[in-house]
Amino acid sequence: GESVGLHLPTLSVQEGDNSIINCAYSNSASDYFIWYKQESGKGPQFIIDIRSNMDKRQGQRVTVLLNKTVKHLSLQIAATQPGDSAVYFCAETIGSGNTPLVFGKGTRLSVIA
Amino acid sequence: DAGVTQSPTHLIKTRGQQVTLRCSPKSGHDTVSWYQQALGQGPQFIFQYYEEEERQRGNFPDRFSGHQFPNYSSELNVNALLLGDSALYLCASSTPGQGGLADTYEQYFGPGTRLTVT
């Protein structure tokens, strides 16, 4: 399949361990944040989102943390599995509805079986 | 229920040519956004269509234009292709949020069209 990114930061984790992917966002006015997963040859897939009135949100095996003071987002994946191997992007936007997403540079997660 | 579909999957064009990419949104979605993703980068917003009109536009030249049809499908046109236009072009569909802090901004991406300009 297509390679999404050849020179992205890479995080390698052992299967079963927890993964933490970090992202610094750029606009202090952004109030809605999303994490996307992109596998080779596919478009980005929604993982989890968080609004600026929250600092933590949990999903199934994933948690997003938001620190507005330092404009930092993190994505935590519990019990990482080989199927989690992909490139992960954070995206920010302002408002609700259909405002354009501004994506970060991405991190490649490689799970070692 | 089909998700977002895009055609073609791959395309090779020569500098100076023109290209048209197509997108069908997810069922029930009426808003289509286009993004360009260069190798090793995150997607960059090109423009968005709603009710057959361009509603928002990113920092892309006029060589990039689009259209939305009454059935909500959309086309992205690029004229006078440059080598730097080589990228993965992503279409995302969504529906206007209801407003309020509880909304989830559900924007669904298609698999993309890989454009190579030689």
Side-chain angles (χ1 to χ4, degrees), chain A residues 47-98:
Chain A
I47 302 173
I48 191 168
D49 60 354
I50 189 167
R51 287 214 169 270
S52 59
N53 63 335
M54 305 172 69
D55 53 21
K56 180 180 180 179
R57 192 171 189 203
Q58 289 183 295
Q60 186 177 16
R61 281 201 309 119
V62 294
T63 300
V64 55
L65 299 178
L66 173 63
N67 185 330
K68 295 182 289 294
T69 302
V70 294
K71 293 192 290 185
H72 183 268
L73 273 171
S74 68
L75 176 70
Q76 300 177 0
I77 304 174
T80 312
Q81 303 168 358
D84 295 326
S85 293
V87 177
Y88 289 80
F89 292 99
C90 67
E92 59 183 296
T93 190
I94 300 171
S96 62
N98 297 291

Side-chain angles (χ1 to χ4, degrees), chain B residues 3-81:
Chain B
V4 179
T5 59
Q6 292 186 244
S7 63
T9 304
H10 295 86
L11 203 53
I12 299 174
K13 290 286 189 178
T14 304
R15 274 179 300 176
Q17 286 187 317
Q18 177 265 343
V19 67
T20 297
L21 310 181
R22 296 175 177 83
C23 170
S24 291
K26 179 178 169 65
S27 177
H29 286 183
D30 55 12
T31 301
V32 173
S33 301
W34 287 91
Y35 291 81
Q36 180 195 67
Q37 187 176 24
L39 203 59
Q41 303 292 323
Q44 280 197 301
F45 175 74
I46 303 174
F47 44 53
Q48 182 183 86
Y49 277 84
Y50 172 68
E51 292 187 338
E52 302 179 48
E53 290 189 359
E54 182 182 294
R55 191 162 72 171
Q56 298 185 75
R57 188 178 184 95
N59 188 24
F60 279 80
D62 292 344
R63 298 187 297 109
F64 289 77
S65 63
H67 189 77
Q68 187 178 34
F69 299 93
N71 67 351
Y72 309 123
S73 67
S74 177
E75 288 182 348
L76 164 65
N77 302 292
V78 187
N79 294 323
L81 284 166

Side-chain angles (χ1 to χ4, degrees), chain A:
Chain A
E2 297 285 347
S3 175
V4 171
L6 298 179
H7 303 292
L8 294 169
T10 298
L11 173 67
S12 296
V13 298
Q14 205 73 33
E15 181 179 0
D17 287 352
N18 296 333
S19 303
I20 299 176
I21 301 171
N22 296 303
C23 174
Y25 64 92
S26 58
N27 190 347
S28 56
S30 294
D31 60 2
Y32 185 75
F33 306 89
I34 310 106
W35 279 99
Y36 283 92
K37 172 186 180 183
Q38 188 172 23
E39 297 173 283
S40 186
K42 297 184 179 180
Q45 177 187 1
F46 177 98
I47 302 173
I48 191 168
D49 60 354
I50 189 167
R51 287 214 169 270
S52 59
N53 63 335
M54 305 172 69
D55 53 21
K56 180 180 180 179
R57 192 171 189 203
Q58 289 183 295
Q60 186 177 16
R61 281 201 309 119
V62 294
T63 300
V64 55
L65 299 178
L66 173 63
N67 185 330
K68 295 182 289 294
T69 302
V70 294
K71 293 192 290 185
H72 183 268
L73 273 171
S74 68
L75 176 70
Q76 300 177 0
I77 304 174
T80 312
Q81 303 168 358
D84 295 326
S85 293
V87 177
Y88 289 80
F89 292 99
C90 67
E92 59 183 296
T93 190
I94 300 171
S96 62
N98 297 291
T99 49
L101 297 172
V102 176
F103 284 81
K105 292 185 178 180
T107 297
R108 179 183 301 282
L109 175 64
S110 179
V111 181
I112 305 164

